[in-house]
Structures are given as structure tokens and as C-alpha cells.
Amino acid sequence: MKPEGHPNYHFIKVVATDGSEFYTRSTYGEEGATLNLDIDPKTHPAWTGGSQHLLDRGGRLTRFNSRFGNLGIGAKK
């Protein structure tokens, strides 16, 4: 493979929303760059399993329920 085909990996600092930080290798930015997270895996419901709300944006959830409502997926309880 051509040498210019590989990404440039380097160390960056990642800062979570609670202020904790760690270093990792990434292709983001330049060497020593800081990546500030907007979504923290310690507090976001996608990772913690917290209560989640399904929002009906543009009728997508309603259309889904009308097509697949008999499966019991996405139905409000």
C-alpha cells in the first residue's frame, strides 16, 4: 500500500464532561490536541441504560407503529 494511504496516528488528550481526562492514539487533529466530549459514556443513557424517551420527529415513530405495531416494538406502555 502507498505510504500516503495510511492515516497519521498520534497521541491526543480526551476530556470528558465530568473533567476526567485520558490519552489515546487517534487521527483527530494534531499531536497533543485536546478532544472535549459533549456526550460522556458515564452519564449518557445509551451507555448507562437509563430511562430513554422516544421522540416522534416528523411522524416517524407513528409510521413505524402503524406498520409494525402488532410486533410490540416501540409501542408506548
Side-chain angles (χ1 to χ4, degrees):
M1 181 177 243
K2 297 179 183 178
E4 63 272 1
H6 292 284
N8 180 20
Y9 285 103
H10 46 271
F11 282 96
I12 65 165
K13 179 170 69 170
V14 179
V15 179
T17 56
D18 65 353
S20 62
E21 55 188 50
F22 62 93
Y23 290 90
T24 187
R25 289 179 51 130
S26 176
T27 59
Y28 173 81
E30 299 294 327
E31 178 78 29
T34 301
L35 176 64
N36 294 308
L37 298 178
D38 293 332
I39 299 173
D40 192 345
K42 296 177 188 170
T43 58
H44 194 275
W47 287 283
T48 61
S51 62
Q52 299 176 5
H53 303 288
L54 291 175
L55 299 177
D56 191 4
R57 296 187 178 157
R60 290 185 210 138
L61 184 58
T62 304
R63 278 187 306 204
F64 180 85
N65 284 334
S66 67
R67 291 177 69 187
F68 304 107
N70 60 344
L71 296 176
I73 301 171
K76 290 184 179 180
K77 294 179 181 180

